[in-house]
Amino acid sequence: MPIIGNIIKGFIEVRDKLSGERNPIDEQKQVLKKLLTEANETAFGEHYDFDDILESEDIAKAYSKKIPFHDYNKINDEWWHQLHEGKTDVTWPGKPHYFALSSGTTGNTSKRIPVTDEMVSAIRNAGIQQVYALSNFDLPADFFEKDILMLGSSTDLEKVDDHEEGEISGISASNIPNWFRGYYKPGEDIAEIDDWDERVAKIAEKAETWDVGALSGIPSWIELMLEKVIEHHNLKNIHELWPNLQVYTSGGVAFGPYEKSFNALLGHPITIIDTYLASEGFVAFQARPETDAMQLVTDGGIYFEFVPFKPEYINQDGSLVDDAPSITLGEVQKGQDYVLIISTVSGAWRYIIGDTIEFTDVERAEIKITGRTKFFLNTVGSQLSVNKLDDAVQHLEEKFSMKIPEYTLCANRIDEEFYHCWYLGSEDAKDGSTLADALDEHLKQANKNYKVARSKALKGVKVTVVKPDAFHEWNGENKKKGGQVKMEKVMNEEKFAQWQTFVKENGY
């Protein structure tokens, strides 16, 4: 009988019931007031007169009117660079002990995003909230006695001057609570290995000594790790080695495109729980099994704003026009795509995180990630967001009984005519022309703007099928394998030319 598991499960269930009803709108008002109060004596707070904003009748309205939008380049060039020059109290009191490195999905140069002690605490608290929410998933008591394999970036952070640098998953894993260390796999020694392939090889070697009940990580890298473990132990599926594997906590990207290839590695279905941990903070997590949407963490270290995701508000490079209107959580509507804007306890102010979301349940503040602002394919008026592209790829998987865990595309000029050129990552050999016709037809039916574009400037669709390894190795060469690294779904013409050369030279 799982005595410890029953105790833990009972505690979680009682704690969840005692937490009471949430009011996300009120929580957000309190978070904004706290952020402004804490940072009012910083250089940023004095420059934008936070004291005056705090005295306003409508703090949220005064805040959005007075503070401009910031992307990484703007806030780093104007403010964060001072942190590396030894200055304190720049955009948040004191100096951050960590910087999260993130190349995102649109560039090779790493961003260095401040991570304060308050943010580390906020991320930990959000994780605890997610643990409490497990009471909604009716998991058996013995689940709470199993190992949890967290596959993030290396926890061997780089010491730079008076702070440490690494990816946010590595920073978070290096700050896990002591009580959790007994459950945590692959363990500190393996987690510190910086080389991705070496770390996965060690995981494969040690895998048979663990009783894994849950996995956590970005889908593409989790799949690759599972494949290596299965191959190393000559298994048919991962449940032959880890029969008690019951939960996978996904994160960083929509799980839908990976569902078919991921399930092929399992012996039976498991519970999938989505999370939204970005380099800038823990944004949301799935709190109940009735939906795959995620609940915003509205009582932590992040204040949220939302800009309607409409072409007139978005520049070609994915940035927002200066006068784009933003709204609060109390004003959002279900089913509308929004650009997500955050202000945080790490000193990010009206920061464009780069993701687009939609609300599936306004009262519960539940969202789905719908794409990236820079992955909005509108070169010839087709107005395709990532969720539309994901849907099209899933349509191909169903129509042709194939697995396509990765893809990328570009609105590419060929002989002065625009084509949507797709690369699909799949082990299933299919005719590119047939796939192109199916993609084209599906998108015409699903998106009227695409249909109009196809009758005018968009000449056609081309599809090339390559091995999924091409995407993993591309990331390894241009960024780094594992961790928070995600494949860019939409490339510009310059990057796409580099991608085509890479595929050709490496024989994918």
Side-chain angles (χ1 to χ4, degrees):
M1 180 180 179
I3 297 175
I4 296 176
N6 274 304
I7 293 172
I8 295 173
K9 183 178 181 182
F11 171 78
I12 289 173
E13 290 175 345
V14 170
R15 174 62 178 78
D16 187 59
K17 289 176 182 177
L18 291 176
S19 62
E21 290 294 321
R22 299 172 59 249
N23 188 322
I25 295 173
D26 285 347
E27 289 173 349
Q28 279 287 276
K29 290 178 181 178
Q30 293 170 19
V31 167
L32 177 58
K33 188 174 182 179
K34 184 176 181 181
L35 289 174
L36 294 170
T37 302
E38 290 286 329
N40 69 335
E41 295 183 359
T42 63
F44 190 95
E46 291 178 351
H47 179 81
Y48 287 106
D49 200 355
F50 279 8
D51 280 334
D52 183 60
I53 296 174
L54 285 164
E55 292 174 1
S56 304
E57 289 187 13
D58 189 332
I59 293 177
K61 187 174 181 180
Y63 175 67
S64 65
K65 185 176 181 180
K66 201 159 195 174
I67 313 300
F69 296 122
H70 292 89
D71 60 13
Y72 173 77
N73 290 332
K74 178 179 174 63
I75 200 168
N76 188 63
D77 291 347
E78 295 180 4
W79 298 98
W80 285 348
H81 75 91
Q82 298 177 42
L83 296 170
H84 303 292
E85 298 166 2
K87 294 185 180 180
T88 61
D89 304 326
V90 178
T91 61
W92 191 257
K95 287 188 69 176
H97 290 149
Y98 302 97
F99 279 83
L101 302 181
S102 171
S103 61
T105 44
T106 54
N108 294 331
T109 304
S110 286
K111 301 174 183 177
R112 302 167 80 194
I113 299 165
V115 180
T116 61
D117 291 345
E118 291 89 343
M119 178 56 76
V120 171
S121 178
I123 291 173
R124 184 187 298 120
N125 290 338
I128 292 172
Q129 284 187 38
Q130 185 176 21
V131 171
Y132 291 150
L134 289 176
S135 63
N136 299 325
F137 289 83
D138 195 29
L139 296 166
D142 63 359
F143 168 77
F144 297 95
E145 297 182 347
K146 305 305 178 185
D147 297 325
I148 300 175
L149 175 54
M150 299 170 62
L151 189 68
S153 54
S154 172
T155 58
D156 186 18
L157 307 177
E158 182 180 357
K159 183 73 174 177
V160 180
D161 299 327
D162 57 353
H163 65 267
E164 293 181 288
E165 296 183 351
E167 289 186 18
I168 192 64
S169 57
I171 294 171
S172 299
S174 66
N175 282 279
I176 59 174
N178 287 330
W179 62 265
F180 183 69
R181 295 184 186 276
Y183 299 93
Y184 168 61
K185 296 293 181 287
E188 295 178 49
D189 291 342
I190 295 177
E192 287 182 351
I193 298 174
D194 187 57
D195 182 86
W196 162 259
D197 294 311
E198 182 183 347
R199 194 174 349 138
V200 170
K202 289 290 186 182
I203 288 172
E205 289 176 16
K206 290 284 189 178
E208 63 183 348
T209 67
W210 304 331
D211 186 6
V212 174
L215 298 170
S216 178
I218 289 197
S220 56
W221 302 113
I222 286 285
E223 280 192 22
L224 199 58
M225 180 273 294
L226 291 177
E227 288 170 357
K228 296 295 184 184
V229 173
I230 289 170
E231 178 185 1
H232 182 85
H233 295 278
N234 195 27
L235 308 172
K236 293 180 180 178
N237 60 70
I238 196 61
H239 276 113
E240 290 186 346
L241 185 67
W242 296 330
N244 295 308
L245 175 60
Q246 300 178 64
V247 171
Y248 167 46
T249 302
S250 178
V253 296
F255 178 68
Y258 300 93
E259 184 174 8
K260 193 166 186 177
S261 54
F262 181 84
N263 287 340
L265 303 173
L266 308 177
H268 55 75
I270 63 175
T271 299
I272 308 297
I273 301 177
D274 269 330
T275 62
Y276 187 177
L277 174 63
S279 297
E280 296 81 3
F282 200 145
V283 176
F285 61 85
Q286 184 182 344
R288 57 195 184 100
E290 301 94 319
T291 177
D292 57 358
M294 296 174 288
Q295 177 180 287
L296 287 174
V297 182
T298 53
D299 62 348
I302 303 178
Y303 173 70
F304 300 103
E305 295 175 84
F306 313 91
V307 173
F309 186 46
K310 297 180 179 180
E312 58 264 35
Y313 303 146
I314 313 294
N315 294 315
Q316 192 63 49
D317 63 357
S319 62
L320 292 175
V321 300
D322 292 338
D323 60 350
S326 66
I327 60 177
T328 65
L329 183 60
E331 300 168 300
V332 298
Q333 296 180 352
K334 183 178 178 180
Q336 164 72 51
D337 276 12
Y338 295 103
V339 179
L340 186 61
I341 311 296
I342 64 171
S343 301
T344 78
V345 291
S346 278
W349 299 102
R350 304 201 79 212
Y351 185 92
I352 306 166
I353 198 170
D355 291 326
T356 60
I357 58 98
E358 71 167 300
F359 282 84
T360 60
D361 190 313
V362 172
E363 186 177 348
R364 289 188 171 96
E366 288 181 337
I367 64 164
K368 285 188 176 182
I369 301 172
T370 56
R372 297 282 293 173
T373 55
K374 293 186 179 182
F375 292 170
F376 181 52
L377 189 60
N378 194 32
T379 306
V380 288
S382 54
Q383 294 191 23
L384 292 174
S385 56
V386 169
N387 60 325
K388 294 288 195 303
L389 303 177
D390 285 347
D391 288 346
V393 171
Q394 287 180 266
H395 170 73
L396 292 185
E397 289 187 317
E398 294 169 7
K399 183 177 178 66
F400 297 101
S401 298
M402 59 188 302
K403 297 187 287 289
I404 310 172
E406 298 286 0
Y407 72 87
T408 192
L409 74 152
C410 173
N412 202 23
R413 278 173 294 191
I414 302 174
D415 298 327
E416 300 306 314
E417 299 278 3
F418 272 107
Y419 289 81
H420 278 182
C421 297
W422 292 69
Y423 275 73
L424 304 178
S426 180
E427 298 287 354
D428 302 307
K430 301 289 182 182
D431 176 64
S433 297
T434 302
L435 295 173
D437 290 342
L439 263 178
D440 191 33
E441 189 59 35
H442 174 81
L443 288 171
K444 284 178 183 176
Q445 294 179 13
N447 189 312
K448 64 180 180 181
N449 293 306
Y450 176 86
K451 187 175 182 179
V452 171
R454 280 290 285 113
S455 68
K456 295 181 179 179
L458 183 58
K459 185 69 174 177
V461 177
K462 295 180 180 292
V463 169
T464 303
V465 180
V466 297
K467 297 293 185 183
D469 284 352
F471 297 84
H472 305 142
E473 296 305 321
W474 166 265
N475 282 329
E477 183 169 299
N478 289 274
K479 301 168 190 174
K480 190 175 182 179
K481 290 184 178 180
Q484 297 294 111
V485 175
K486 294 158 277 189
M487 181 68 191
E488 53 263 68
K489 301 297 187 185
V490 178
M491 296 183 180
N492 60 31
E493 289 185 87
E494 181 181 357
K495 178 65 74 66
F496 194 69
Q498 296 172 13
W499 160 258
Q500 289 179 305
T501 299
F502 172 82
V503 170
K504 184 177 180 180
E505 289 180 349
N506 289 277
Y508 291 112

